[in-house]
Amino acid sequence: MKKIFLPLLLLSALKLSAQDVEKIHRKAILIDTHNDIISNELITGNDAGKLQTTGNFDLVRAKTGGLDVQVFSIWCGDQYGNGTAYAYANREIDSLQALINRNPDKMMLVTNAKELKKAVKQKKLAAMVGVEGGHMIEDRLDYIDSLVKRGMCYLTLTWNNSTSWATSARDETLHGDTLQHKGLTELGKQIIHKLNDAGVMIDLSHPGEQTFKDVMAITTKPVIASHSCVYALNPHRRNLKDYQLKAIADNGGVVFINFYSGFIDSTYESKHAAFMARHKPQFDSLRVIYKDYDLASIRLNELNKGEADQLRPPLSMLIKHIDYMVKMMGADHVGIGSDFDGAESYPLGLDSVTDYYKITAELVKIGYSKKDIEKILGGNFIRVLKANKGK
Ligand SMILES: [Zn+2]
């Protein structure tokens, strides 16, 4: 049984019992489509199988939070490319597999809805592989097959860096005039067909608008955005505009909400830039230790918690993004893709994978039906996975 505990104050505001929320939360299959812990653990050497005092995810806290399915992001930065990125992706999958092998009673690798439900029934965390960044297939169609064999359920077509066959939101926005191509090339189109045929979900969280349009024109399967928020509420290049939300809903796809403060709150990034300027020497020394920018940034916030906490938006702001999407797309097209362990800041109250129930409680509070909450927490992911896999 998953145990959750609601603070008394929150309860009185909700006018419902902890048992009501706990019942809804426990009954739902809770799925998070984006977590970066595997990339981080390769650098820090921490064991996500044991309770950790840093970061957002480990198996102990996942159990407490009632997490049933986690898609682990397999990611490397743009310093990796042809000749190195595919090998790095495999190293990360090895690391995830080693975590599973060390904890066979607590988690199992799953690749389709049937296996996912089997894991849930056995009360094990269903671990899935999401590959974040088309650069990891190194322009090769056969690497898609190889990654499918290793469990890949989605491919994020680009990360912040473009590939030779698809342009990213960052590059289309910042370097639009100097790009050699914009959107999908011929190889890019072949890759979309290949992903559709192989049952791999196409993830449009990082690609630019031209790539988005080119994909939507040819995909034969529902797409996802594994960790994205609403542009109309915060005009960030990584957020999705209304026409994109509508197009994904029309296609039967799902957008999974990202918890990162910078995507939720339009005032966050400038406040964070000032914070970074104040702590530059400390950040520079953390970069020497961790190399990775995001990981150093996460540690910097942990070391200056009181100050960093003041920059966090309220949880209600994240709920506004969910509610906006539900109103625009319908409750069948929204889910959860936290980006935990991939960013330095999340709304107040969302500290780790123990805290998803607070979202459930807020959705109950604003009047969402049990059925819609179950879809948002996990049902929609299962539907889109099945639609891609064919089982
Ligand atoms: Zn990302």
Side-chain angles (χ1 to χ4, degrees), residues 2 4 25 28-30 61-69 353 356:
K2 297 166 196 165
I4 58 169
H25 193 75
I29 297 179
L30 176 59
R61 286 182 287 174
K63 191 81 186 166
T64 308
L67 186 60
D68 295 299
V69 182
V353 287
Y356 298 107

Side-chain angles (χ1 to χ4, degrees), residues 30 33-34 43 67 69 72 77 172 193 207 229 234 252 277 299 359 362 370:
L30 176 59
T33 53
H34 205 89
I43 299 169
L67 186 60
V69 182
F72 291 94
E172 284 192 25
H193 295 313
C229 296
N234 178 14
R299 289 291 177 267
I359 294 173
E362 288 294 320
K370 207 176 114 204

Side-chain angles (χ1 to χ4, degrees), residues 34 132 159 206 227 238 339:
H34 205 89
E132 185 179 21
W159 181 59
H206 280 276
H227 56 309
R238 269 281 281 106
D339 214 356

